Amino acid sequence: MEATDVLHAARTGLSAVADRVAALVGSLPDAGAPILPGSWTVREAAVHLTLEANHYLELTHGAQSPNPFTNKEGFNATVD
């Protein structure tokens, strides 16, 4: 499979997932509800998913990764 085909498939998949997440969040009665056992609300998680989807979409267009870490250890070191 050509790289352009892979990137096109990634863009298509991201778009489909974004539509499904938007429909799911839109169907909930209270976006301010907490997601337990964590501290985020449904709204905060939806915003996070949206921002990350945008980052991945930018990557499919050739942008540099906005994430400075490349492994689980590096990520975990940034989380309180």
Side-chain angles (χ1 to χ4, degrees):
M1 181 179 265
E2 295 289 324
T4 55
D5 295 332
V6 172
L7 293 174
H8 177 72
R11 289 183 204 116
T12 302
L14 283 167
S15 178
V17 169
D19 289 344
R20 292 178 65 192
V21 169
L24 174 63
V25 172
S27 73
L28 298 173
D30 181 12
I35 301 173
L36 301 176
S39 60
W40 284 17
T41 65
V42 170
R43 180 180 295 109
E44 291 167 330
V47 168
H48 173 74
L49 288 172
T50 301
L51 291 173
E52 288 302 311
N54 284 333
H55 290 159
Y56 286 113
L57 186 58
E58 290 171 5
L59 292 175
T60 68
H61 288 283
Q64 293 291 322
S65 176
N67 298 319
F69 32 80
T70 58
N71 59 38
K72 183 172 70 171
E73 291 75 21
F75 174 79
N76 288 338
T78 66
V79 178
D80 293 336

